[in-house]
Amino acid sequence: MSMFKFMAGALAAAVLGACASATASPEAAPTVDRGLSAEVQVREMGRGVNVLGYDPLWRDPAQARFQERHMGIIHDGGFQTVRIVLGAFRHMDADNKLDPQWFATLDRMVNAALAAHLTVILDEHDFNFCGDHPAECRPKLMAFWRQVGEHYKDAPPQVIFELLNEPCRQMDAQWNDVLAEALAVVRQTNPTRNVIIGPAFWNNINWLDRLQLPENDRHIIVTVHYYLPMEFTHQGAPWTPENTRLGVTWGSAEDRAFLKSNFDGVKAWADAHHRPIFLGEFGAYDRGPMDSRVAYTSAVAREAEAHGFAWAYWQFDSDFVVWDMAADRWNAPIHDALIPR
């Protein structure tokens, strides 16, 4: 039995045992569906942060910036969830089999997060490859979820699967078909685990109406990402050369009304379709004015909470930074905007 399966099994047994002692009666019939409801899970997810996506750990654990201890720091810093960003395709062989060492590394991080009482999202993040090469992406994505689903089938419900980050470009027109296939793969081994799925066009809020989900599967959490307006949030970001102008500010009454209107629209869609919402990414790149970044970060987080959305900030370190790795401490202005004192 692997370390992961031992720890996950123990956690699952404790959760189910607690539920049973609290609710069972001699007349109670056993339930087939033992997963958390999507609505309850979103309430438990609360405030989160994206971690590990571009860390050297995936190439060489000895070079890792992010350490297992950071999971406890994240929890103690006021967060309830980590979204682990996985670029897994580069760790597959020619037959799309995942490297056992990659699984061992992921198991260590999942176990550390669970031990720190964090909800864990496993986010398959190869969106650029999938957007540019959807035909090549599809078998890799199915192979990924077949293996990850089997590997984590005994994990507690606090481990959530996210099918694909930000489907985009050539994947947009195919996404509803691809997500249906990937979800079916997951359900073979994880029939009641909550799965996060978002709309195409980079999980765009304006594409929610194009998202097609199986009506009878209620263990789905819908995700959107929010970086509007891009000329503010991505000013100076090298991957968006159209946003070169620096010094763009945010925080006017019109800015805040635009944010609220956008989230009102997401909430209206969620209520109409009876789907809870996870704001999987938001933030402002660190070339923008700090006072505006703080205002924006705080406003988005509070507006998400007011609308009943769980959220995860992009990201712990690397860029959009909330944790200063060199100083080994929180980036206080951004942390305090996310988690008010």
Side-chain angles (χ1 to χ4, degrees), residues 237-269:
W239 63 92
T240 60
E242 66 273 20
N243 297 308
T244 56
R245 184 166 69 93
L246 300 179
V248 181
T249 61
W250 188 95
S252 69
E254 292 79 7
D255 290 335
R256 295 174 184 276
F258 181 70
L259 166 63
K260 182 180 185 303
S261 174
N262 281 325
F263 281 18
D264 284 349
V266 174
K267 184 65 163 64
W269 182 93

Side-chain angles (χ1 to χ4, degrees), residues 23-281:
T23 61
S25 68
E27 298 80 19
T31 178
V32 174
D33 185 349
R34 294 186 177 182
L36 288 176
S37 75
E39 292 77 13
V40 168
Q41 186 112 62
V42 163
R43 288 198 294 272
E44 291 190 358
M45 287 161 64
R47 300 166 171 176
V49 64
N50 285 267
V51 299
L52 280 165
Y54 306 110
D55 199 286
L57 165 136
W58 300 110
R59 300 188 302 275
D60 179 3
Q63 302 299 315
R65 294 193 306 267
F66 192 97
Q67 306 292 328
E68 292 171 54
R69 69 182 179 88
H70 287 116
M71 295 297 188
I73 289 170
I74 288 168
H75 175 271
D76 293 345
F79 297 92
Q80 292 83 48
T81 295
V82 288
R83 181 177 182 246
I84 300 182
V85 175
L86 302 172
F89 289 2
R90 66 180 63 94
H91 301 284
M92 289 177 165
D93 65 16
D95 296 319
N96 292 331
K97 183 177 180 182
L98 285 160
D99 184 350
Q101 182 57 50
W102 179 87
F103 264 127
T105 298
L106 181 57
D107 284 350
R108 284 195 300 107
M109 290 301 164
V110 170
N111 282 331
L114 292 174
H117 307 289
L118 295 167
T119 294
V120 183
I121 299 165
L122 302 183
D123 155 48
E124 215 310 293
H125 207 80
D126 286 291
F127 66 104
N128 277 319
F129 178 84
C130 290
D132 292 334
H133 309 284
E136 292 88 345
C137 163
R138 192 163 182 158
K140 288 181 176 294
L141 189 64
M142 303 313 153
F144 174 86
W145 285 116
R146 193 169 295 110
Q147 294 168 81
V148 170
E150 176 65 30
H151 189 83
Y152 289 106
K153 66 182 181 182
D154 296 322
Q158 286 71 30
V159 177
I160 308 171
F161 296 163
E162 182 171 349
L163 293 185
L164 180 65
N165 173 76
E166 294 187 350
C168 58
R169 296 192 289 272
Q170 295 181 51
M171 181 62 78
D172 287 340
Q174 304 179 34
W175 177 232
N176 286 322
D177 186 46
V178 172
L179 77 83
E181 183 180 357
L183 184 60
V185 169
V186 168
R187 290 296 179 234
Q188 291 172 8
T189 50
N190 293 264
T192 61
R193 187 174 304 281
N194 284 318
V195 174
I196 294 173
I197 307 173
F201 204 69
W202 289 274
N203 293 149
N204 194 300
I205 60 172
N206 296 313
W207 279 56
L208 278 168
D209 284 338
R210 309 185 197 196
L211 180 63
Q212 297 175 10
L213 301 172
E215 186 63 30
N216 63 346
D217 191 333
R218 307 315 297 180
H219 284 289
I220 293 173
I221 296 166
V222 171
T223 189
V224 292
H225 293 177
Y226 193 79
Y227 291 107
L228 298 176
M230 289 286 287
E231 57 268 25
F232 167 70
T233 65
H234 281 63
Q235 58 188 294
W239 63 92
T240 60
E242 66 273 20
N243 297 308
T244 56
R245 184 166 69 93
L246 300 179
V248 181
T249 61
W250 188 95
S252 69
E254 292 79 7
D255 290 335
R256 295 174 184 276
F258 181 70
L259 166 63
K260 182 180 185 303
S261 174
N262 281 325
F263 281 18
D264 284 349
V266 174
K267 184 65 163 64
W269 182 93
D271 289 347
H273 292 83
H274 308 290
R275 301 286 190 184
I277 297 294
F278 169 54
L279 177 61
E281 292 183 17

Side-chain angles (χ1 to χ4, degrees), residues 15-25:
V15 169
L16 291 174
C19 291
S21 63
T23 61
S25 68

